[in-house]
Amino acid sequence: MAQVFVPEEVDLTRYLFFTGKGGVGKTSIACATAVSLADLGKKVLIVSTDPASNLDDVFELELGSKSTAITAVSGLYGLNLDPEKAAAAYREKVVGPYRATLPESAVAHIEEQLSGACTVEIAAFDEFTNLLANPEITAEYDHVIFDTAPTGHTLRLLQLPKAWSGFLAESEHGASCLGPLSGLGKKKDLYAKTMHGLADRSLTTLVLVSRPEGSALTEAERASRELRALGVENQILIVNGLFTATSDDSVASVLLQRQQKAMASMPDALKNMSNYYIPLVAHNLTGVEHLRALFSGKQARTSDNTDVLTAPTIPNIQHLISELANKKQGVIMTMGKGGVGKTTIATAIAIGLAEKGFQVHLTTTDPAAHVSLALGEAHESNQLVVSRIDPQVETEKYRREVVQSVGATLDEEGLALLKEDLASPCTEEIAVFRAFAQVVDDAEGSFVVLDTAPTGHTLLLLDAAQAYHREVQRSTGEVPLAVRKLLPKLRDPAQTHVVIVTLPEATPVFEASRLQDDLRRAGIDPAWWVINQSWQRLETTDPTLLGRSQSESNWITMVQDSLAKKCVLVGWQMNEPVGWHNLKALSEERG
């Protein structure tokens, strides 16, 4: 039976790693836990290794790469380990010694190997390794809290034997992310020590954060299973935002019933670990006062709230669908922080266009394949084709092609190295991107709606658009025409329409803004923003829901006035947006 999470009542280990699907509130809970422990007289360090760190947003101050006192809380210190800067320094450390001895083309090839998102991921791991594996660095702290745990992707990468065998010297084949590990040979023992520390139940706890929603709990179970398989077994679950109705209006009743249904259907693996919950609160979790209030059972001052509702000034999603319909064809990509409803919005847009008589191909590159869950077993239009780019299927297909293409030229040892090279996690990204390029190419003259995976995955695919042809060329000798055509299409606003999806809350808006900046640096300018799941389109008398409705106004105004070229707003749905009928109703929602 779940109990309310109060840090002082839980036996917490020295190292705490918070992880979970985007949008579940892991940063807020990590920060609130840090404040609570510091208020108990503990000396606490909170660390983020996230490239899009939100610690600055939550604490409302600017943290750097060195431990900095958070003056509003005695005993609390914070730092942001910037993986982008670490990756740049790491690249130069690896490449630098070769500049004077290798031809320029060879140096460029090494830099290419180190240009992808995996280098950033490994650099982040390298940064916090220094904290976890070298106790003297953190000896003065009672607790070290990491906002964002290492992913299963990182840990799998570090466990591949060839990762430590001199990749750059040996590998000339395949599409791999082992290159970023090429300069880490001397750190093998240190990394092994880090892995041991992650698995040590007396030192480390992995805190899975979720929401009382079916998809979020399923995602938490998947992450739990993957990390257990890698030896990280000391896990607890915190369900964030559990609602307790204090009124009997219809909105409160529907939300309560929906959450109770999700909790009752929680995967057994999650039920069997220590379970905690945090009540839904009316205020935004930014600022120390609001963080303290999270575990006190009291509502914080709602200085971020306003009685002026801004939603009535923003068009509904019908406006977006109508403008897209005027384009007659094109690629539509929904993007944003995980958990903001990208899949729901992508599916509603696809249905809206199909209902207007257009041929639409709705597809996903998300490994979790949420499109099929949102749409249901069947759909009701011959105008809509639904597919999933299955990462496992595409990866195996790609591996076979590479081995058949170049395997005959290799000896037994070389073939073994090639196969391990292709077993690296990033091979999946290359395979998925190739399949995505083909879907877009096949759909000339119609609409392709792509439900993308969460932000990091999406950016990796976009990064692959620039580097992919080199990988394919060296592994198979050919660059598919569909791949050559794709990047110019993604950058052409007449052909590609990027829709950023966010929630009317601090962290999702800040992260969406950073995503927009990244996309613009890649030459892709978002056309639309969708503010999803707003309480302002509903009439409720429940104090908590009314408070959340009022607190949305600042963030809605920021999106409308400062961030988006064009934006629409979608209200929280009384009927869960699953299945053709409910998604069609969402696409026809009137403001």
Side-chain angles (χ1 to χ4, degrees), residues 20 41 48 58 99 170 194 276 287 371 430 441-443 478 492 543 545 578:
S48 176
V58 175
R99 292 193 187 280
E170 297 176 0
T194 301
Y276 302 91
V371 161
I430 297 297
D441 192 56
D442 290 344
E478 298 178 357
D492 183 354
L545 300 184
V578 175

Side-chain angles (χ1 to χ4, degrees), residues 202-427:
S202 66
L203 280 178
T204 302
T205 302
L206 188 89
V207 183
L208 290 161
V209 182
S210 187
R211 292 272 191 189
E213 301 165 2
S215 61
L217 290 166
T218 298
E219 198 83 6
E221 189 276 333
R222 188 174 69 164
S224 171
R225 181 171 12 99
E226 186 175 55
L227 290 164
R228 282 180 185 278
L230 295 167
V232 184
E233 297 190 0
N234 188 24
Q235 304 176 8
I236 66 173
L237 174 70
I238 297 178
V239 178
N240 183 32
L242 199 63
F243 179 56
T244 301
T246 54
S247 68
D248 59 358
D249 72 46
S250 58
V251 177
S253 297
V254 168
L255 176 60
L256 182 63
Q257 291 170 11
R258 193 179 296 177
Q259 288 194 353
Q260 289 175 337
K261 179 181 177 181
M263 293 296 286
S265 302
M266 180 189 296
D268 289 340
L270 298 183
K271 290 179 181 177
N272 293 334
M273 67 176 67
S274 296
N275 274 220
Y276 302 91
Y277 72 89
I278 294 174
L280 184 70
V281 295
H283 53 273
N284 280 307
L285 290 174
T286 54
V288 170
E289 181 186 359
H290 286 180
L291 294 172
R292 281 195 172 112
L294 186 62
F295 300 135
S296 70
K298 302 175 182 178
Q299 294 288 352
R301 264 190 319 110
T302 53
S303 58
D304 56 345
N305 291 0
T306 173
D307 291 330
V308 179
L309 302 185
T310 50
T313 67
I314 299 183
N316 54 54
I317 197 171
Q318 270 192 322
H319 185 70
L320 164 60
I321 293 171
S322 294
E323 287 215 9
L324 289 173
N326 290 336
K327 307 289 185 181
K328 307 298 183 185
Q329 63 178 20
V331 179
I332 301 163
M333 302 174 71
T334 58
M335 295 187 179
K337 178 183 172 72
V340 297
K342 296 187 300 295
T343 298
T344 299
I345 297 303
T347 311
I349 289 172
I351 288 175
L353 291 170
E355 288 286 330
K356 290 180 179 292
F358 293 98
Q359 190 66 42
V360 182
H361 186 161
L362 171 64
T363 190
T364 181
T365 61
D366 191 332
H370 293 136
V371 161
S372 59
L373 298 176
L375 196 54
E377 292 298 322
H379 55 274
E380 303 175 9
S381 173
N382 293 327
Q383 301 297 118
L384 180 62
V385 174
V386 180
S387 70
R388 176 195 176 202
I389 298 173
D390 187 310
Q392 289 187 336
V393 171
E394 295 299 333
T395 302
E396 183 55 35
K397 179 180 175 183
Y398 178 76
R399 286 173 182 150
R400 284 198 307 268
E401 288 184 12
V402 172
V403 170
Q404 289 172 2
S405 175
V406 300
T409 66
L410 301 175
D411 58 20
E412 186 175 343
E413 182 181 3
L415 184 59
L417 290 173
L418 171 63
K419 288 181 177 179
E420 187 182 324
D421 191 353
L422 291 171
S424 66
C426 285
T427 298

Side-chain angles (χ1 to χ4, degrees), residues 111-159:
E111 289 179 326
E112 177 66 31
Q113 284 290 330
L114 301 174
S115 67
C118 280
T119 301
V120 177
E121 196 171 330
I122 293 302
F125 187 85
D126 188 44
E127 287 283 286
F128 84 70
T129 289
N130 293 324
L131 293 174
L132 190 65
N134 293 320
E136 63 273 12
I137 297 178
T138 58
E140 62 183 295
Y141 299 103
D142 298 301
H143 293 282
V144 181
I145 296 175
F146 292 89
D147 168 36
T148 306
T151 65
H153 178 284
T154 303
L155 300 185
R156 288 198 310 274
L157 188 60
L158 293 170
Q159 290 185 349

Side-chain angles (χ1 to χ4, degrees), residues 447-575:
F447 283 105
V448 177
V449 181
L450 177 68
D451 166 43
T452 63
T455 301
H457 184 274
T458 301
L459 292 179
L460 183 55
L461 288 182
L462 293 176
D463 177 67
Q466 301 173 63
Y468 175 84
H469 71 282
R470 295 182 181 89
E471 297 288 0
V472 174
Q473 198 166 39
R474 72 190 182 91
S475 62
T476 67
E478 298 178 357
V479 181
L481 179 61
V483 173
R484 293 201 300 270
K485 292 165 58 178
L486 183 57
L487 186 57
K489 182 174 289 189
L490 293 181
R491 287 175 167 162
D492 183 354
Q495 298 186 75
T496 297
H497 316 287
V498 173
V499 179
I500 290 182
V501 185
T502 189
L503 302 177
E505 300 171 12
T507 297
V509 169
F510 285 132
E511 289 216 350
S513 176
R514 286 188 281 261
L515 169 61
Q516 179 165 260
D517 291 341
D518 287 339
L519 290 168
R520 284 174 173 168
R521 280 194 291 272
I524 299 170
D525 195 13
W528 292 88
W529 281 52
V530 175
I531 303 169
N532 195 26
Q533 298 181 25
S534 172
W535 293 103
Q536 292 197 3
R537 286 265 162 94
L538 296 156
E539 295 183 4
T540 179
T541 59
D542 185 272
T544 298
L545 300 184
L546 189 59
R548 293 191 72 83
S549 171
Q550 293 170 341
S551 69
E552 292 177 357
S553 290
N554 290 340
W555 310 111
I556 293 173
T557 299
M558 180 183 291
V559 171
Q560 185 180 30
D561 293 349
S562 304
L563 297 174
K565 285 185 173 180
K566 300 178 183 179
C567 72
V568 298
L569 185 138
V570 175
W572 188 85
Q573 301 295 300
M574 291 285 283
N575 293 318

